[in-house]
Amino acid sequence: MSTERQLAEVRFLTVAEVASIMRVSKMTVYRLVHAGDLPAVRVGRSFRVPEDEVHKYLRTSFVDTA
């Protein structure tokens, strides 16, 4: 029952929504999903990405500049 409750609380985003948040193209999001860098769930012919995974990816992707 706790697993069902946890899944019910997950907010899934479409590829277009992820692209908008990250300010990249939808193709870039598809590449990240297919490369395994961004976890996603396939629903029919489309993908859904957990919102917290998008934020986690962005937090770990920062690079220091010179």
Side-chain angles (χ1 to χ4, degrees), residues 6-64:
Q6 289 173 344
L7 286 176
E9 294 172 1
V10 174
R11 182 162 183 253
F12 289 97
L13 303 174
T14 64
V15 169
E17 290 171 329
V18 174
S20 176
I21 289 170
M22 295 176 69
R23 295 183 182 241
V24 297
S25 70
K26 291 192 295 184
M27 185 55 66
T28 300
V29 177
Y30 282 118
R31 285 188 194 116
L32 290 170
V33 168
H34 287 291
D37 295 330
L38 193 59
V41 176
R42 188 163 194 135
V43 180
R45 295 182 64 193
S46 61
F47 288 99
R48 296 294 185 267
V49 181
E51 184 177 29
D52 58 335
E53 291 294 335
V54 174
H55 295 296
K56 185 178 3 174
Y57 177 82
L58 290 173
R59 277 194 305 273
T60 60
S61 296
F62 281 101
V63 294
D64 290 328

